[in-house]
Every structure is written in structure tokens, then in C-alpha cells.
Amino acid sequence: MEARLIELFFEKNGNKLPEDKHAEIRSILESADEDLTVSIAAVKYFNPSTMVFVSWWAGAVGIDRDTLGQWGLGILKFITFGGLGIWWLIDLINIRNITCNQNYKHFMKAYKKDLKVKAKHKAKEDAALAK
Amino acid sequence: MDKLKIAEFLIMHGSELDEDYMADHVESLEEVSDDKFEELMKWEPKSTHKAMLLTLFAGVFGAGYFYIGDTFRGLWRLFTFGGLALGSLWDVNRMTWKTAYNNSHALEKFINKLK
């Protein structure tokens, strides 16, 4: 990926990804080819500051977890009324880290999917060559 | 359009778009010619952050729906007091997805106009 695009990526999404993973993400981005660049750019990154508001106002019924795509935990939180307020409070403090880690998970999912597709492609090519 | 330009566009606006439509967007962006790129970058999606805040603080009046351009649902929320308040709780749940969905449809329309 070009240096300009990497800078743009971190300008837009840097605060949405965990800071201790920035070096790893940068090294993946630097080695990315065109297809991987598109699929990384197409990942939906949630905004942590939005999630703080959602967690404060609607976290007691599990909507913050639901929005992030962890609907199992969302339902559990809804049934227990935010873990009787304790879970709600813990999530409220942690929500920035939770959102960043979720974004990182989606990022790695896109990266691993791309690796898998390339491995399959290579295996097909090798089989064609062997014939 | 070449892939690096598509990637630049998606880095700018990808977080406001629906994941399920991403493959379609890439496909239709590929058909847009390179000289239309500057016009394409002028497109502005509705911000999920703003829509969510409007829904949280004025959701019973349908403010979030008015903002993302869904006037019919907005009026419905306004006259039924947020679907008897329970509706607005449901809205909070769905608003990030709804905004992304509306943005995706708006983008497809915009691309069709560019062609």
C-alpha cells in the first residue's frame, strides 16, 4: 500500500483501533497488495465515542453489545438487566477498549480471509501446473 | 477506476456504509471512469455518530430518522410519541445499521448518476 494511503487510513481509523496493535497493523498495511487494500478499506469500523454514549444510555438493556455484533452477550445483558447494574458499569468503563478490540478483530478477519483466498488460488495454480 | 482509488474512497467513507453491500459498491465503483474521481470524493455520507446522538436524545420525536432522510418513519415516530417510547429503544438498536443502509443506497444512486 502507498504511504499516503496508510497515513489516510490511520488518520481516519487510528483512534478506532487499539494503540498497542498499531505497529502490527502498519506492517500488514505496508505489505498489502491491491485486493487486500480494498478488503481492509471495506471493513466497518465502529466509532468508540459513539459507543460511549450508547453504553451510557442503552447499555443496561444490552444494546451496546448488540450494536457491536456480539448479540449473544447483548441478549444475556438484556435478560439480567445489565448484570444488575454491575456489568453495565464495567462495560461503561471498558467500552472504548471493547470497541477497539472488536474493530481489530474485524480487521484481522478481513486479513485472514484474504490469506485463505490466496492460498486456495495458489493451490489451484500448482495443480494446473502439475497436470 | 483502479483499485487504489476505490480503496481511498472506501477508507474515507467505508465506516458509514453497509457491510452487506460492500461487494456491490466495489463492483459498481470499478465501472466509474478515472476522471470522475474528484466528483466522487465530493459525496458526503450521513454520519452514524450524529444519527445515533439524535436518536438517543430526541429519538421519541423521530429526529434520527429525519436526519438520515427517512421522513415517513420520522413522522410516524413524531405522531405516535416514538412508537409509544418502546419504538425509540428499538431505533437505538437499529440506527447504526439503518444509517449505513441508507448511505449505501444513496451511494449507489450517486454512482449511477456519475455513469
Side-chain angles (χ1 to χ4, degrees), chain A residues 42-102:
Chain A
V43 177
K44 190 178 169 73
Y45 301 102
F46 290 97
N47 191 345
S49 39
T50 313
M51 295 313 295
V52 170
F53 282 102
V54 176
S55 188
W56 170 252
W57 290 101
V61 283
I63 284 177
D64 52 346
R65 293 285 191 167
D66 222 34
T67 307
L68 286 175
Q70 302 170 317
W71 53 269
L73 285 174
I75 290 169
L76 197 66
K77 214 173 165 184
F78 176 75
I79 292 168
T80 58
F81 287 105
L84 298 173
I86 299 164
W87 189 1
W88 170 76
L89 201 65
I90 294 168
D91 265 10
L92 186 59
I93 295 161
N94 272 342
I95 192 73
R96 267 176 195 278
N97 290 335
I98 294 169
T99 314
C100 287
N101 285 335
Q102 195 71 4

Short mmCIF file of all heavy atoms in Angstrom, two decimals, chain A residues 42-102:
data_model
loop_
_atom_site.label_atom_id
_atom_site.label_comp_id
_atom_site.label_asym_id
_atom_site.label_seq_id
_atom_site.Cartn_x
_atom_site.Cartn_y
_atom_site.Cartn_z
N ALA A 42 -12.75 -1.84 3.19
CA ALA A 42 -14.19 -2.08 3.20
C ALA A 42 -14.72 -2.56 4.55
O ALA A 42 -15.91 -2.74 4.71
CB ALA A 42 -14.55 -3.10 2.13
N VAL A 43 -13.82 -2.75 5.53
CA VAL A 43 -14.29 -3.19 6.86
C VAL A 43 -15.00 -2.03 7.55
O VAL A 43 -14.59 -0.88 7.40
CB VAL A 43 -13.10 -3.66 7.72
CG1 VAL A 43 -13.57 -4.04 9.11
CG2 VAL A 43 -12.42 -4.84 7.08
N LYS A 44 -16.07 -2.36 8.29
CA LYS A 44 -16.80 -1.31 9.01
C LYS A 44 -16.20 -1.17 10.41
O LYS A 44 -16.21 -2.10 11.20
CB LYS A 44 -18.27 -1.71 9.11
CG LYS A 44 -19.15 -0.60 9.63
CD LYS A 44 -20.59 -1.07 9.65
CE LYS A 44 -21.47 -0.12 10.40
NZ LYS A 44 -21.71 1.12 9.69
N TYR A 45 -15.62 0.02 10.69
CA TYR A 45 -15.02 0.28 12.00
C TYR A 45 -15.98 1.13 12.82
O TYR A 45 -16.39 2.20 12.39
CB TYR A 45 -13.68 1.00 11.84
CG TYR A 45 -12.67 0.23 11.02
CD1 TYR A 45 -12.43 0.57 9.71
CD2 TYR A 45 -12.00 -0.84 11.58
CE1 TYR A 45 -11.52 -0.16 8.95
CE2 TYR A 45 -11.09 -1.56 10.83
CZ TYR A 45 -10.85 -1.21 9.52
OH TYR A 45 -9.96 -1.93 8.77
N PHE A 46 -16.31 0.65 14.03
CA PHE A 46 -17.23 1.39 14.90
C PHE A 46 -16.49 2.52 15.60
O PHE A 46 -15.31 2.40 15.93
CB PHE A 46 -17.86 0.46 15.92
CG PHE A 46 -18.84 -0.50 15.33
CD1 PHE A 46 -18.46 -1.79 15.01
CD2 PHE A 46 -20.13 -0.09 15.06
CE1 PHE A 46 -19.36 -2.67 14.43
CE2 PHE A 46 -21.04 -0.96 14.49
CZ PHE A 46 -20.64 -2.25 14.19
N ASN A 47 -17.22 3.60 15.84
CA ASN A 47 -16.63 4.78 16.48
C ASN A 47 -16.73 4.65 18.00
O ASN A 47 -17.83 4.57 18.54
CB ASN A 47 -17.39 6.01 16.00
CG ASN A 47 -16.72 7.29 16.39
OD1 ASN A 47 -15.83 7.29 17.24
ND2 ASN A 47 -17.11 8.38 15.78
N PRO A 48 -15.60 4.61 18.73
CA PRO A 48 -15.66 4.42 20.19
C PRO A 48 -16.44 5.51 20.92
O PRO A 48 -17.14 5.22 21.89
CB PRO A 48 -14.20 4.44 20.62
CG PRO A 48 -13.43 4.14 19.41
CD PRO A 48 -14.21 4.65 18.26
N SER A 49 -16.35 6.77 20.43
CA SER A 49 -17.06 7.82 21.18
C SER A 49 -18.57 7.71 21.01
O SER A 49 -19.31 8.10 21.92
CB SER A 49 -16.55 9.20 20.78
OG SER A 49 -16.30 9.27 19.41
N THR A 50 -19.03 7.15 19.88
CA THR A 50 -20.47 6.87 19.76
C THR A 50 -20.87 5.80 20.76
O THR A 50 -21.91 5.91 21.42
CB THR A 50 -20.82 6.36 18.35
OG1 THR A 50 -20.21 7.18 17.39
CG2 THR A 50 -22.32 6.36 18.12
N MET A 51 -20.01 4.77 20.86
CA MET A 51 -20.35 3.63 21.72
C MET A 51 -20.40 4.03 23.20
O MET A 51 -21.14 3.42 23.97
CB MET A 51 -19.36 2.48 21.51
CG MET A 51 -19.40 1.87 20.13
SD MET A 51 -21.03 1.51 19.53
CE MET A 51 -21.51 0.26 20.70
N VAL A 52 -19.61 5.06 23.59
CA VAL A 52 -19.68 5.52 24.98
C VAL A 52 -21.09 6.03 25.29
O VAL A 52 -21.68 5.67 26.31
CB VAL A 52 -18.65 6.63 25.23
CG1 VAL A 52 -18.89 7.29 26.58
CG2 VAL A 52 -17.25 6.08 25.18
N PHE A 53 -21.64 6.83 24.36
CA PHE A 53 -23.00 7.34 24.56
C PHE A 53 -24.01 6.20 24.58
O PHE A 53 -24.91 6.18 25.43
CB PHE A 53 -23.36 8.33 23.45
CG PHE A 53 -22.76 9.68 23.64
CD1 PHE A 53 -21.65 10.07 22.93
CD2 PHE A 53 -23.31 10.56 24.57
CE1 PHE A 53 -21.09 11.31 23.12
CE2 PHE A 53 -22.76 11.81 24.76
CZ PHE A 53 -21.65 12.19 24.03
N VAL A 54 -23.87 5.27 23.65
CA VAL A 54 -24.82 4.15 23.59
C VAL A 54 -24.75 3.33 24.86
O VAL A 54 -25.78 2.94 25.43
CB VAL A 54 -24.54 3.26 22.35
CG1 VAL A 54 -25.45 2.06 22.34
CG2 VAL A 54 -24.72 4.04 21.08
N SER A 55 -23.51 3.11 25.36
CA SER A 55 -23.35 2.28 26.55
C SER A 55 -23.97 2.98 27.77
O SER A 55 -24.55 2.34 28.64
CB SER A 55 -21.87 2.02 26.80
OG SER A 55 -21.70 1.09 27.82
N TRP A 56 -23.84 4.31 27.83
CA TRP A 56 -24.37 5.05 28.96
C TRP A 56 -25.90 5.05 28.95
O TRP A 56 -26.54 4.82 29.97
CB TRP A 56 -23.81 6.48 28.93
CG TRP A 56 -24.44 7.43 29.88
CD1 TRP A 56 -25.29 8.44 29.57
CD2 TRP A 56 -24.30 7.46 31.31
NE1 TRP A 56 -25.67 9.10 30.70
CE2 TRP A 56 -25.08 8.53 31.79
CE3 TRP A 56 -23.58 6.68 32.22
CZ2 TRP A 56 -25.16 8.84 33.15
CZ3 TRP A 56 -23.66 7.00 33.57
CH2 TRP A 56 -24.45 8.06 34.02
N TRP A 57 -26.51 5.29 27.78
CA TRP A 57 -27.96 5.47 27.72
C TRP A 57 -28.71 4.17 27.51
O TRP A 57 -29.87 4.05 27.92
CB TRP A 57 -28.34 6.46 26.61
CG TRP A 57 -27.94 7.84 26.94
CD1 TRP A 57 -26.84 8.50 26.47
CD2 TRP A 57 -28.59 8.74 27.85
NE1 TRP A 57 -26.78 9.74 27.03
CE2 TRP A 57 -27.83 9.93 27.87
CE3 TRP A 57 -29.74 8.66 28.64
CZ2 TRP A 57 -28.18 11.03 28.65
CZ3 TRP A 57 -30.08 9.75 29.41
CH2 TRP A 57 -29.31 10.91 29.42
N ALA A 58 -28.12 3.20 26.81
CA ALA A 58 -28.86 1.99 26.48
C ALA A 58 -28.08 0.73 26.82
O ALA A 58 -28.46 -0.36 26.41
CB ALA A 58 -29.23 2.00 24.99
N GLY A 59 -26.99 0.86 27.58
CA GLY A 59 -26.19 -0.31 27.92
C GLY A 59 -26.88 -1.24 28.90
O GLY A 59 -26.62 -2.43 28.92
N ALA A 60 -27.79 -0.69 29.70
CA ALA A 60 -28.47 -1.52 30.70
C ALA A 60 -29.34 -2.59 30.07
O ALA A 60 -29.61 -3.61 30.70
CB ALA A 60 -29.32 -0.64 31.61
N VAL A 61 -29.77 -2.38 28.81
CA VAL A 61 -30.54 -3.42 28.12
C VAL A 61 -29.70 -4.10 27.04
O VAL A 61 -30.23 -4.79 26.18
CB VAL A 61 -31.85 -2.86 27.52
CG1 VAL A 61 -32.88 -2.68 28.61
CG2 VAL A 61 -31.62 -1.56 26.79
N GLY A 62 -28.40 -3.90 27.08
CA GLY A 62 -27.50 -4.67 26.23
C GLY A 62 -27.37 -4.20 24.80
O GLY A 62 -26.82 -4.90 23.96
N ILE A 63 -27.85 -2.98 24.52
CA ILE A 63 -27.84 -2.53 23.13
C ILE A 63 -26.42 -2.23 22.64
O ILE A 63 -26.11 -2.40 21.46
CB ILE A 63 -28.79 -1.32 22.96
CG1 ILE A 63 -30.24 -1.82 22.97
CG2 ILE A 63 -28.53 -0.56 21.68
CD1 ILE A 63 -31.27 -0.76 22.88
N ASP A 64 -25.52 -1.84 23.56
CA ASP A 64 -24.13 -1.55 23.13
C ASP A 64 -23.47 -2.81 22.56
O ASP A 64 -22.82 -2.77 21.53
CB ASP A 64 -23.32 -0.94 24.26
CG ASP A 64 -23.39 -1.74 25.55
OD1 ASP A 64 -24.27 -2.61 25.64
OD2 ASP A 64 -22.58 -1.49 26.46
N ARG A 65 -23.67 -3.94 23.26
CA ARG A 65 -23.10 -5.20 22.78
C ARG A 65 -23.76 -5.63 21.48
O ARG A 65 -23.12 -6.19 20.59
CB ARG A 65 -23.30 -6.30 23.83
CG ARG A 65 -22.52 -6.08 25.09
CD ARG A 65 -21.06 -6.38 24.88
NE ARG A 65 -20.33 -6.41 26.12
CZ ARG A 65 -19.10 -6.88 26.23
NH1 ARG A 65 -18.48 -7.35 25.17
NH2 ARG A 65 -18.50 -6.88 27.38
N ASP A 66 -25.06 -5.37 21.38
CA ASP A 66 -25.83 -5.75 20.21
C ASP A 66 -25.31 -5.01 18.97
O ASP A 66 -25.13 -5.59 17.91
CB ASP A 66 -27.29 -5.40 20.45
CG ASP A 66 -28.20 -6.50 19.97
OD1 ASP A 66 -27.79 -7.66 20.07
OD2 ASP A 66 -29.30 -6.19 19.50
N THR A 67 -25.07 -3.69 19.16
CA THR A 67 -24.61 -2.87 18.04
C THR A 67 -23.26 -3.35 17.53
O THR A 67 -23.00 -3.34 16.32
CB THR A 67 -24.51 -1.40 18.48
OG1 THR A 67 -25.76 -1.02 19.06
CG2 THR A 67 -24.19 -0.50 17.33
N LEU A 68 -22.40 -3.79 18.46
CA LEU A 68 -21.06 -4.25 18.07
C LEU A 68 -21.09 -5.61 17.40
O LEU A 68 -20.07 -6.10 16.94
CB LEU A 68 -20.15 -4.31 19.29
CG LEU A 68 -19.66 -2.98 19.85
CD1 LEU A 68 -18.88 -3.20 21.12
CD2 LEU A 68 -18.79 -2.27 18.83
N GLY A 69 -22.26 -6.26 17.36
CA GLY A 69 -22.37 -7.55 16.70
C GLY A 69 -22.24 -8.73 17.64
O GLY A 69 -22.28 -9.87 17.21
N GLN A 70 -22.05 -8.46 18.97
CA GLN A 70 -22.00 -9.56 19.95
C GLN A 70 -23.41 -9.76 20.49
O GLN A 70 -23.69 -9.47 21.65
CB GLN A 70 -21.04 -9.19 21.08
CG GLN A 70 -19.64 -8.90 20.61
CD GLN A 70 -18.78 -8.30 21.69
OE1 GLN A 70 -19.20 -7.44 22.43
NE2 GLN A 70 -17.54 -8.75 21.78
N TRP A 71 -24.31 -10.29 19.65
CA TRP A 71 -25.72 -10.29 20.04
C TRP A 71 -26.01 -11.31 21.14
O TRP A 71 -26.98 -11.16 21.88
CB TRP A 71 -26.63 -10.50 18.84
CG TRP A 71 -26.31 -11.70 18.02
CD1 TRP A 71 -25.47 -11.72 16.94
CD2 TRP A 71 -26.77 -13.03 18.20
NE1 TRP A 71 -25.38 -12.98 16.45
CE2 TRP A 71 -26.17 -13.81 17.19
CE3 TRP A 71 -27.64 -13.64 19.09
CZ2 TRP A 71 -26.41 -15.17 17.08
CZ3 TRP A 71 -27.88 -15.00 18.98
CH2 TRP A 71 -27.27 -15.74 17.98
N GLY A 72 -25.16 -12.34 21.27
CA GLY A 72 -25.35 -13.31 22.36
C GLY A 72 -25.19 -12.63 23.71
O GLY A 72 -26.04 -12.76 24.60
N LEU A 73 -24.08 -11.87 23.85
CA LEU A 73 -23.85 -11.12 25.09
C LEU A 73 -24.92 -10.06 25.28
O LEU A 73 -25.32 -9.78 26.41
CB LEU A 73 -22.47 -10.47 25.05
CG LEU A 73 -21.28 -11.39 25.27
CD1 LEU A 73 -19.99 -10.62 25.07
CD2 LEU A 73 -21.31 -11.98 26.66
N GLY A 74 -25.40 -9.48 24.17
CA GLY A 74 -26.45 -8.46 24.24
C GLY A 74 -27.72 -9.01 24.86
O GLY A 74 -28.31 -8.39 25.74
N ILE A 75 -28.13 -10.22 24.42
CA ILE A 75 -29.34 -10.84 24.96
C ILE A 75 -29.15 -11.17 26.43
O ILE A 75 -30.04 -10.93 27.27
CB ILE A 75 -29.71 -12.10 24.13
CG1 ILE A 75 -30.19 -11.69 22.74
CG2 ILE A 75 -30.79 -12.90 24.84
CD1 ILE A 75 -30.33 -12.83 21.78
N LEU A 76 -27.96 -11.70 26.76
CA LEU A 76 -27.67 -12.06 28.16
C LEU A 76 -27.73 -10.81 29.05
O LEU A 76 -28.29 -10.84 30.16
CB LEU A 76 -26.28 -12.69 28.24
CG LEU A 76 -25.96 -13.47 29.52
CD1 LEU A 76 -26.84 -14.69 29.63
CD2 LEU A 76 -24.49 -13.87 29.53
N LYS A 77 -27.20 -9.72 28.53
CA LYS A 77 -27.20 -8.46 29.28
C LYS A 77 -28.63 -7.93 29.44
O LYS A 77 -28.98 -7.36 30.47
CB LYS A 77 -26.34 -7.43 28.54
CG LYS A 77 -25.60 -6.49 29.46
CD LYS A 77 -24.65 -5.63 28.67
CE LYS A 77 -24.18 -4.46 29.48
NZ LYS A 77 -23.33 -3.57 28.69
N PHE A 78 -29.46 -8.14 28.40
CA PHE A 78 -30.85 -7.70 28.46
C PHE A 78 -31.63 -8.48 29.51
O PHE A 78 -32.37 -7.90 30.31
CB PHE A 78 -31.50 -7.90 27.07
CG PHE A 78 -32.96 -7.57 27.03
CD1 PHE A 78 -33.38 -6.25 27.05
CD2 PHE A 78 -33.91 -8.57 26.98
CE1 PHE A 78 -34.72 -5.93 27.01
CE2 PHE A 78 -35.26 -8.27 26.94
CZ PHE A 78 -35.67 -6.94 26.95
N ILE A 79 -31.42 -9.82 29.54
CA ILE A 79 -32.17 -10.66 30.48
C ILE A 79 -31.80 -10.32 31.92
O ILE A 79 -32.66 -10.26 32.80
CB ILE A 79 -31.90 -12.17 30.18
CG1 ILE A 79 -32.52 -12.55 28.84
CG2 ILE A 79 -32.49 -13.05 31.28
CD1 ILE A 79 -32.08 -13.89 28.33
N THR A 80 -30.48 -10.08 32.17
CA THR A 80 -30.04 -9.82 33.54
C THR A 80 -30.08 -8.33 33.91
O THR A 80 -29.54 -7.94 34.94
CB THR A 80 -28.60 -10.34 33.75
OG1 THR A 80 -27.75 -9.68 32.80
CG2 THR A 80 -28.50 -11.83 33.56
N PHE A 81 -30.72 -7.50 33.06
CA PHE A 81 -30.78 -6.05 33.27
C PHE A 81 -29.39 -5.46 33.48
O PHE A 81 -29.11 -4.80 34.49
CB PHE A 81 -31.68 -5.70 34.46
CG PHE A 81 -33.13 -5.89 34.16
CD1 PHE A 81 -33.83 -6.97 34.67
CD2 PHE A 81 -33.81 -5.00 33.33
CE1 PHE A 81 -35.17 -7.17 34.37
CE2 PHE A 81 -35.15 -5.19 33.02
CZ PHE A 81 -35.83 -6.27 33.55
N GLY A 82 -28.51 -5.73 32.53
CA GLY A 82 -27.14 -5.21 32.61
C GLY A 82 -26.40 -5.78 33.79
O GLY A 82 -25.66 -5.07 34.47
N GLY A 83 -26.58 -7.08 34.05
CA GLY A 83 -25.91 -7.74 35.18
C GLY A 83 -26.22 -7.03 36.48
O GLY A 83 -25.33 -6.82 37.30
N LEU A 84 -27.50 -6.64 36.64
CA LEU A 84 -27.97 -5.89 37.82
C LEU A 84 -27.15 -4.61 38.03
O LEU A 84 -26.87 -4.19 39.16
CB LEU A 84 -27.93 -6.75 39.08
CG LEU A 84 -28.83 -7.99 39.05
CD1 LEU A 84 -28.59 -8.84 40.27
CD2 LEU A 84 -30.30 -7.60 38.96
N GLY A 85 -26.76 -4.00 36.92
CA GLY A 85 -26.07 -2.71 37.01
C GLY A 85 -24.56 -2.81 37.12
O GLY A 85 -23.86 -1.86 36.81
N ILE A 86 -24.07 -3.99 37.56
CA ILE A 86 -22.62 -4.11 37.75
C ILE A 86 -21.91 -4.26 36.41
O ILE A 86 -20.96 -3.55 36.11
CB ILE A 86 -22.30 -5.32 38.67
CG1 ILE A 86 -22.95 -5.11 40.03
CG2 ILE A 86 -20.80 -5.49 38.83
CD1 ILE A 86 -23.03 -6.37 40.86
N TRP A 87 -22.44 -5.18 35.60
CA TRP A 87 -21.90 -5.41 34.26
C TRP A 87 -21.98 -4.13 33.44
O TRP A 87 -21.05 -3.78 32.69
CB TRP A 87 -22.68 -6.55 33.60
CG TRP A 87 -22.11 -7.05 32.32
CD1 TRP A 87 -20.97 -6.61 31.72
CD2 TRP A 87 -22.64 -8.07 31.49
NE1 TRP A 87 -20.78 -7.30 30.54
CE2 TRP A 87 -21.78 -8.19 30.39
CE3 TRP A 87 -23.77 -8.89 31.58
CZ2 TRP A 87 -22.02 -9.11 29.37
CZ3 TRP A 87 -24.02 -9.81 30.57
CH2 TRP A 87 -23.13 -9.91 29.49
N TRP A 88 -23.11 -3.42 33.59
CA TRP A 88 -23.30 -2.17 32.86
C TRP A 88 -22.18 -1.18 33.20
O TRP A 88 -21.61 -0.55 32.31
CB TRP A 88 -24.68 -1.59 33.23
CG TRP A 88 -24.90 -0.20 32.74
CD1 TRP A 88 -25.19 0.17 31.46
CD2 TRP A 88 -24.87 1.00 33.51
NE1 TRP A 88 -25.32 1.53 31.38
CE2 TRP A 88 -25.13 2.07 32.63
CE3 TRP A 88 -24.65 1.28 34.85
CZ2 TRP A 88 -25.17 3.39 33.05
CZ3 TRP A 88 -24.70 2.59 35.27
CH2 TRP A 88 -24.96 3.63 34.38
N LEU A 89 -21.85 -1.07 34.47
CA LEU A 89 -20.82 -0.13 34.92
C LEU A 89 -19.45 -0.54 34.39
O LEU A 89 -18.68 0.30 33.90
CB LEU A 89 -20.81 -0.09 36.46
CG LEU A 89 -20.20 1.16 37.09
CD1 LEU A 89 -21.01 2.38 36.75
CD2 LEU A 89 -20.12 0.99 38.60
N ILE A 90 -19.17 -1.85 34.47
CA ILE A 90 -17.86 -2.35 33.98
C ILE A 90 -17.73 -2.08 32.49
O ILE A 90 -16.70 -1.62 32.01
CB ILE A 90 -17.72 -3.85 34.30
CG1 ILE A 90 -17.65 -4.07 35.81
CG2 ILE A 90 -16.47 -4.41 33.64
CD1 ILE A 90 -17.79 -5.52 36.21
N ASP A 91 -18.83 -2.36 31.75
CA ASP A 91 -18.80 -2.13 30.31
C ASP A 91 -18.64 -0.66 29.98
O ASP A 91 -17.98 -0.30 29.01
CB ASP A 91 -20.08 -2.68 29.67
CG ASP A 91 -19.89 -4.08 29.17
OD1 ASP A 91 -18.84 -4.66 29.48
OD2 ASP A 91 -20.78 -4.59 28.46
N LEU A 92 -19.27 0.18 30.77
CA LEU A 92 -19.19 1.62 30.54
C LEU A 92 -17.75 2.12 30.65
O LEU A 92 -17.29 2.95 29.87
CB LEU A 92 -20.09 2.35 31.54
CG LEU A 92 -20.24 3.85 31.36
CD1 LEU A 92 -20.83 4.15 29.98
CD2 LEU A 92 -21.14 4.42 32.43
N ILE A 93 -17.02 1.56 31.62
CA ILE A 93 -15.62 1.95 31.79
C ILE A 93 -14.76 1.38 30.66
O ILE A 93 -13.85 2.03 30.16
CB ILE A 93 -15.11 1.48 33.18
CG1 ILE A 93 -15.86 2.20 34.28
CG2 ILE A 93 -13.61 1.71 33.32
CD1 ILE A 93 -15.79 1.51 35.63
N ASN A 94 -15.11 0.15 30.25
CA ASN A 94 -14.26 -0.56 29.28
C ASN A 94 -14.65 -0.37 27.83
O ASN A 94 -13.98 -0.89 26.95
CB ASN A 94 -14.31 -2.06 29.58
CG ASN A 94 -13.24 -2.46 30.57
OD1 ASN A 94 -12.30 -1.72 30.77
ND2 ASN A 94 -13.41 -3.61 31.18
N ILE A 95 -15.74 0.37 27.56
CA ILE A 95 -16.35 0.29 26.23
C ILE A 95 -15.42 0.70 25.11
O ILE A 95 -15.44 0.14 24.01
CB ILE A 95 -17.69 1.07 26.18
CG1 ILE A 95 -18.48 0.75 24.91
CG2 ILE A 95 -17.46 2.57 26.24
CD1 ILE A 95 -19.10 -0.58 24.90
N ARG A 96 -14.50 1.66 25.38
CA ARG A 96 -13.54 2.08 24.35
C ARG A 96 -12.65 0.90 23.95
O ARG A 96 -12.44 0.64 22.76
CB ARG A 96 -12.68 3.23 24.86
CG ARG A 96 -13.25 4.57 24.50
CD ARG A 96 -12.51 5.71 25.07
NE ARG A 96 -13.32 6.91 24.96
CZ ARG A 96 -13.40 7.64 23.85
NH1 ARG A 96 -12.71 7.32 22.78
NH2 ARG A 96 -14.18 8.69 23.81
N ASN A 97 -12.13 0.18 24.95
CA ASN A 97 -11.27 -0.97 24.65
C ASN A 97 -12.06 -2.06 23.94
O ASN A 97 -11.55 -2.69 23.01
CB ASN A 97 -10.68 -1.53 25.94
CG ASN A 97 -9.66 -0.59 26.54
OD1 ASN A 97 -9.07 0.20 25.82
ND2 ASN A 97 -9.48 -0.67 27.84
N ILE A 98 -13.31 -2.29 24.40
CA ILE A 98 -14.12 -3.34 23.78
C ILE A 98 -14.35 -3.02 22.31
O ILE A 98 -14.17 -3.88 21.44
CB ILE A 98 -15.48 -3.48 24.51
CG1 ILE A 98 -15.28 -3.99 25.93
CG2 ILE A 98 -16.40 -4.41 23.75
CD1 ILE A 98 -16.52 -3.90 26.79
N THR A 99 -14.71 -1.77 22.01
CA THR A 99 -14.96 -1.36 20.62
C THR A 99 -13.70 -1.50 19.78
O THR A 99 -13.73 -2.04 18.67
CB THR A 99 -15.45 0.09 20.57
OG1 THR A 99 -16.46 0.27 21.56
CG2 THR A 99 -16.01 0.44 19.22
N CYS A 100 -12.56 -1.01 20.34
CA CYS A 100 -11.29 -1.07 19.59
C CYS A 100 -10.92 -2.52 19.30
O CYS A 100 -10.50 -2.86 18.20
CB CYS A 100 -10.19 -0.38 20.37
SG CYS A 100 -10.35 1.40 20.38
N ASN A 101 -11.07 -3.39 20.32
CA ASN A 101 -10.72 -4.80 20.11
C ASN A 101 -11.63 -5.45 19.09
O ASN A 101 -11.18 -6.29 18.30
CB ASN A 101 -10.80 -5.56 21.44
CG ASN A 101 -9.62 -5.24 22.33
OD1 ASN A 101 -8.57 -4.86 21.83
ND2 ASN A 101 -9.80 -5.35 23.63
N GLN A 102 -12.92 -5.08 19.10
CA GLN A 102 -13.85 -5.62 18.12
C GLN A 102 -13.46 -5.19 16.71
O GLN A 102 -13.46 -5.99 15.78
CB GLN A 102 -15.27 -5.17 18.47
CG GLN A 102 -16.37 -5.92 17.77
CD GLN A 102 -16.54 -7.34 18.27
OE1 GLN A 102 -15.87 -7.76 19.21
NE2 GLN A 102 -17.40 -8.09 17.64
#
